[in-house]
Amino acid sequence: MSVRIREVGPRDGLQVESPLPITARAGLIDGLAGAGLRDIEAVSFVSPNAVPAMADPAGVMAAVNRLPDVTYWGLVPNTRGAELALEAGMDALTITVSACPVYNEKNVRRTIDASMKEVGQIVAEAGSLPVDLILSCVFGSPYTGDEPTRTTPKLMVQARDLGVSRFTLADTTGMATPGRVARILDEVGTEVGLHLHDTRGTALANAWEAIRQGVRKFDAALGGLGGSPFAEGAGDNLATEDLVHMLDDAGLTTDVDLRALLDLGGRLRDMVGHELKSAIAVHGPRRVGT
Amino acid sequence: MSVRIREVGPRDGLQVESPLPITARAGLIDGLAGAGLRDIEAVSFVSPNAVPAMADPAGVMAAVNRLPDVTYWGLVPNTRGAELALEAGMDALTITVSACPVYNEKNVRRTIDASMKEVGQIVAEAGSLPVDLILSCVFGSPYTGDEPTRTTPKLMVQARDLGVSRFTLADTTGMATPGRVARILDEVGTEVGLHLHDTRGTALANAWEAIRQGVRKFDAALGGLGGSPFAEGAGDNLATEDLVHMLDDAGLTTDVDLRALLDLGGRLRDMVGHELKSAIAVHGPRRVGT
């Protein structure tokens, strides 16, 4: 059985760090591809004024040594972003809309309806490129509680009508628990991807429950870096090392080389200038030599 | 569905901290009982020279305001410890034998066989009191790798012949993963309790898998305090708050009041003089007010 991990460290991880040089960002992306990651959210086409660490996505992509079997994803906030992403030669696009109206307003200064309309335009603009709609705050929001969980299935129907065929449910502020994951998946099915945060220590448990249910797509960030710059309470991403370590020991295939990933994590730590949050980065894999 | 948590903070948690006054230790135990914990590993009858923080267990128990519906467990290292535990009026006894011969040697300076013989004597000494045999390093050992996992079922058979009827499988150095938990439970059944450590961030995922399989008994320590003073790589215990938070949100009953537990955690932090490792203690429950 095979699990597909989309590495979001270069985007969701680095966006909350001090800006890194283009060569460092491209080097991280190449390192991730070298470690076996086959889906990498590499850049974001948001305004560099809003998120300075994500400046010059086209420059980053030009510096990447692109591998033919890797899908390089770019996050696009609007149709203008989608145009730029197409020009930069992205393989696939992610768009984020929050299932929480208050968070959506804070994040992109729009109502959910206005964001959804833009999603339709981006899908049209993208043509044959895959577009993944990431619904944020699905598992709860610090602003509207559990309301986003209830409205998510309806938003997915609305998005399907607009041409969206891929979905990722995001636990933006770390409010998911495995029981809650089970209940949502019962409702929306297991074709979705999950984007988990470890704020409350539940990311691996949530991922495990999802795997038990049949989910096979996960976002994760090397070293557990990340969190939204716009969401109160947004904590660390699920660490790629920790996910791979758990999956490896369960005999689930990821194509990711844990040793290579840990080496790259060491380089990432030096780049960002602080310790990583990954338990495996800090304590090592369960067996020396594995 | 109801899950029984045995709180081991006063024993496994405090044993690696600087010694606290008797009144503080008894106050912690009373606070845990007040928060709804119905099984509390309160003290250890090990030598105070080996583990100074566990000195004077009888004094602690005399200072505890005992509740009739709480089972106060005492860890006993040998028959002399069992005698002292009976004198101190413990309700139930825990004994630890490692499934890893090297770790057992380091922990109690005996072979596993010699320890098992003593287990038989303790069970005889204990009479009608419940005795729980905690097998340590079951999920892997830094010294002998995965060998303990393979020998555990045989050790359980041997212990049953000696009169042991309760078992707890301990992940002493945080080497369990949910896939591995599933495989061991398939072999030994789900009547066992689990004692999980969070060294590699997997404790909640392991607990969740065990719950999925039908395990209903877990050890946990307030604030995630703890770890063995004798095992290389032994990390934090599964935090009681984090376990209760996950179970509450899944609709599983624990009788524990999370708010009371978090308040007590604040007091524990002040007692030990450092931050707790519990994610819920640090970041709060998923919903304000829940």
Side-chain angles (χ1 to χ4, degrees), chain B residues 5-290:
Chain B
I5 300 175
R6 180 168 58 196
E7 167 65 43
V8 299
R11 203 281 302 171
D12 200 17
L14 293 186
Q15 75 175 359
V16 292
E17 302 291 334
S18 302
L20 294 180
I22 297 290
T23 49
R25 289 165 63 192
L28 174 62
I29 294 163
D30 287 342
L32 289 162
L37 272 313
R38 286 299 164 262
D39 286 273
I40 301 174
E41 195 179 49
V43 289
S44 165
F45 293 85
V46 294
S47 154
N49 300 325
V51 190
M54 288 295 99
D56 197 7
V60 172
M61 287 313 295
V64 164
N65 180 20
R66 292 178 72 152
L67 300 185
D69 59 341
V70 172
T71 301
Y72 297 89
W73 296 76
L75 177 74
V76 299
N78 48 38
T79 44
R80 176 67 191 132
E83 285 165 28
L84 295 172
L86 292 174
E87 281 168 32
M90 304 312 299
D91 299 315
L93 309 182
T94 51
I95 322 168
T96 301
V97 175
S98 186
C100 167
V102 180
Y103 177 78
N104 201 62
E105 198 76 45
K106 282 182 187 276
N107 197 30
V108 292
R109 291 174 199 168
R110 265 189 223 120
T111 64
I112 292 177
D113 272 348
S115 282
M116 280 303 211
K117 192 175 281 181
E118 188 118 25
V119 166
Q121 291 161 0
I122 291 170
V123 169
E125 174 81 28
S128 62
L129 284 200
V131 176
D132 184 20
L133 176 57
I134 302 173
L135 289 171
S136 74
C137 298
V138 161
F139 300 89
S141 151
Y143 311 113
T144 54
D146 294 335
E147 190 200 308
T149 309
R150 291 188 289 275
T151 55
T152 290
K154 208 183 66 184
L155 288 174
M156 288 175 68
V157 170
Q158 195 181 337
R160 278 204 179 89
D161 289 345
L162 293 164
V164 174
S165 58
R166 290 164 179 255
F167 293 90
T168 293
L169 308 186
D171 183 24
T172 316
T173 62
M175 290 205 177
T177 62
R180 192 164 291 269
V181 168
R183 294 195 293 276
I184 291 181
L185 293 176
D186 277 349
E187 236 183 309
V188 304
T190 55
E191 287 303 303
V192 295
L194 289 187
H195 178 111
L196 300 166
H197 282 235
D198 201 32
T199 320
R200 289 175 180 80
T202 55
L204 280 179
N206 295 333
W208 185 252
E209 173 58 28
I211 282 163
R212 282 277 235 139
Q213 300 263 350
V215 171
R216 292 292 174 265
K217 288 182 288 185
F218 294 89
D219 285 358
L222 186 62
L225 289 190
S228 163
F230 305 112
E232 187 186 295
D236 320 318
N237 272 291
L238 169 57
T240 313
E241 307 90 307
D242 296 4
L243 180 60
V244 169
H245 179 259
M246 181 177 79
L247 297 176
D248 276 357
D249 205 41
L252 294 158
T253 315
T254 62
D255 295 330
V256 181
D257 177 336
L258 183 56
R259 277 284 156 202
L261 206 56
L262 290 169
D263 289 347
L264 186 62
R267 302 217 297 275
L268 178 60
R269 185 191 56 211
D270 296 341
M271 278 185 217
V272 297
H274 60 76
E275 289 301 318
L276 305 180
K277 296 293 183 68
S278 152
I280 303 302
V282 174
H283 294 285
R286 63 181 297 285
R287 289 291 306 284
V288 177
T290 56

Side-chain angles (χ1 to χ4, degrees), chain A:
Chain A
M1 215 146 36
S2 160
V3 174
R4 190 112 183 167
I5 299 175
R6 178 167 61 195
E7 167 64 43
V8 300
R11 203 281 302 170
D12 200 17
L14 293 187
Q15 74 175 0
V16 292
E17 302 291 335
S18 303
L20 294 179
I22 297 291
T23 49
R25 288 166 63 191
L28 174 63
I29 294 163
D30 288 344
L32 290 161
L37 272 312
R38 285 300 162 261
D39 285 273
I40 301 173
E41 194 179 48
V43 289
S44 166
F45 293 85
V46 293
S47 155
N49 299 326
V51 190
M54 288 293 101
D56 198 7
V60 172
M61 287 313 296
V64 166
N65 181 20
R66 291 178 71 151
L67 300 184
D69 60 341
V70 172
T71 301
Y72 297 90
W73 296 77
L75 176 74
V76 299
N78 47 36
T79 46
R80 178 65 191 138
E83 285 166 26
L84 295 171
L86 292 173
E87 282 169 30
M90 303 313 298
D91 298 317
L93 309 183
T94 49
I95 322 170
T96 301
V97 175
S98 185
C100 167
V102 179
Y103 177 78
N104 201 63
E105 198 78 43
K106 283 182 187 279
N107 197 30
V108 292
R109 292 176 198 168
R110 264 189 225 121
T111 63
I112 293 178
D113 271 347
S115 282
M116 281 302 212
K117 194 176 278 183
E118 190 117 24
V119 166
Q121 291 162 359
I122 292 170
V123 170
E125 175 83 28
S128 63
L129 285 199
V131 176
D132 184 19
L133 176 58
I134 302 173
L135 289 171
S136 74
C137 298
V138 161
F139 300 89
S141 150
Y143 311 114
T144 54
D146 294 335
E147 188 201 309
T149 309
R150 291 188 289 273
T151 55
T152 290
K154 207 183 68 181
L155 287 174
M156 289 176 68
V157 170
Q158 193 182 341
R160 279 205 178 88
D161 288 344
L162 293 164
V164 174
S165 57
R166 290 164 179 257
F167 294 90
T168 293
L169 308 187
D171 183 23
T172 315
T173 62
M175 290 203 178
T177 63
R180 195 164 289 270
V181 168
R183 293 194 294 273
I184 291 182
L185 293 176
D186 277 349
E187 236 183 310
V188 304
T190 56
E191 286 303 303
V192 295
L194 289 189
H195 178 110
L196 300 167
H197 282 236
D198 202 31
T199 319
R200 290 176 180 80
T202 55
L204 281 179
N206 295 333
W208 184 253
E209 171 59 28
I211 282 162
R212 285 276 235 133
Q213 299 262 352
V215 171
R216 290 295 175 263
K217 290 180 289 184
F218 293 90
D219 286 357
L222 185 63
L225 289 190
S228 161
F230 305 112
E232 186 188 295
D236 320 319
N237 272 290
L238 168 58
T240 314
E241 307 90 310
D242 296 3
L243 180 60
V244 170
H245 179 259
M246 179 177 79
L247 297 175
D248 277 359
D249 205 43
L252 294 158
T253 316
T254 61
D255 296 329
V256 180
D257 177 337
L258 183 57
R259 276 285 158 204
L261 205 58
L262 289 170
D263 289 347
L264 186 62
R267 302 218 296 279
L268 178 61
R269 186 190 54 211
D270 296 342
M271 276 186 219
V272 297
H274 59 76
E275 289 301 318
L276 304 181
K277 296 293 183 68
S278 152
I280 304 302
V282 174
H283 294 283
R286 62 182 299 285
R287 289 291 306 284
V288 177
T290 55

